[in-house]
């Protein structure tokens, strides 16, 4: 999370493990079956359900509109790399819509490459985005990974 004067200006969520699902029944009980099914339809477009043992997955990356193009997204992605590396992951993946040129450019500049394209009618109808890209960044085992405080975790006494 990125903050300025106590206000959140950017956030990310990184999945390191495949979490077991309790199913949709508890959600349906809370919000109803109609809303649950609609949510499943929407989330099914962006869900990354097969997390490999060597993979970390960026589920979410957001930076407030007034704070964009200042390196915050890049810093959040760098932190994801650090966390993934420390967790023993060898790659980080994410989905992005092809039409989100700014995000695609950011991810490419951070070392991500497109490994899969998904065309979907649901994406076009719900988001006006007919193509989603799965992007991947390989983490090098010898790469210098730096923590948020600027220190290298590999040189810290245990």
């Amino acid at each position: 999370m990125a903050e300025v004067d106590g206000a959140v200006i950017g956030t990310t969520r990184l999945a390191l493990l495949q979490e077991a699902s309790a199913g949709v029944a508890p959600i349906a009980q809370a919000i109803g079956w109609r809303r649950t099914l609609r949510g499943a339809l929407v989330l099914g477009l962006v869900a990354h359900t097969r997390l490999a043992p060597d993979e970390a997955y960026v589920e979410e990356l957001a930076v407030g509109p007034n704070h964009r193009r200042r390196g915050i997204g890049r810093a959040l992605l760098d932190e994801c790399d650090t966390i993934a590396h420390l967790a023993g992951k060898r790659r980080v993946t994410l989905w992005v819509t092809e039409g989100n040129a700014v995000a695609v450019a950011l991810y490419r500049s951070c070392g991500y490459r497109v490994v899969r394209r998904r065309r979907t009618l649901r994406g076009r109808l719900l988001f006006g985005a007919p193509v989603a890209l799965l992007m991947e960044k390989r983490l090098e085992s010898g790469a210098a990974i730096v923590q948020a405080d600027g220190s290298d975790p590999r040189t810290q006494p245990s």
Side-chain angles (χ1 to χ4, degrees):
M1 181 169 25
E3 294 182 35
V4 171
D5 297 327
V8 175
I9 59 170
T11 188
T12 189
R13 188 168 60 184
L14 182 70
L16 297 172
L17 299 171
Q18 189 72 47
E19 295 183 21
S21 171
V24 296
I27 297 169
Q29 287 178 338
I31 65 172
W33 278 103
R34 182 177 172 191
R35 291 176 67 192
T36 300
L37 293 174
R38 183 177 187 282
L41 175 71
V42 171
L43 293 175
L45 295 172
V46 295
H48 189 64
T49 58
R50 294 184 186 104
L51 194 60
D54 71 334
E55 176 186 14
Y57 176 69
V58 178
E59 293 181 328
E60 176 182 326
L61 174 69
V63 176
N66 295 333
H67 301 282
R68 293 181 182 155
R69 306 200 59 84
R70 297 182 186 174
I72 296 164
R74 181 177 306 277
L76 289 167
L77 287 171
D78 287 346
E79 185 68 14
C80 287
D81 291 351
T82 299
I83 292 167
H85 177 80
L86 292 173
K89 305 301 180 180
R90 296 181 41 168
R91 60 195 176 106
V92 180
T93 59
L94 57 85
W95 281 99
V96 62
T97 58
E98 184 177 56
N100 190 343
V102 173
V104 172
L106 169 65
Y107 300 141
R108 285 187 192 278
S109 73
C110 289
Y112 287 81
R113 65 183 181 86
V114 175
V115 294
R116 183 173 168 206
R117 294 170 50 95
R118 178 190 291 169
R119 290 189 171 276
T120 171
L121 179 59
R122 287 186 295 165
R124 178 185 301 265
L125 295 174
L126 294 171
F127 303 115
V131 179
L133 306 173
L134 178 63
M135 299 186 78
E136 174 184 273
K137 179 179 183 178
R138 294 276 176 182
L139 300 177
E140 297 184 29
S141 58
I145 301 293
V146 178
Q147 293 178 325
D149 65 2
S151 65
D152 183 337
R154 295 170 298 175
T155 61
Q156 302 296 316
S158 36

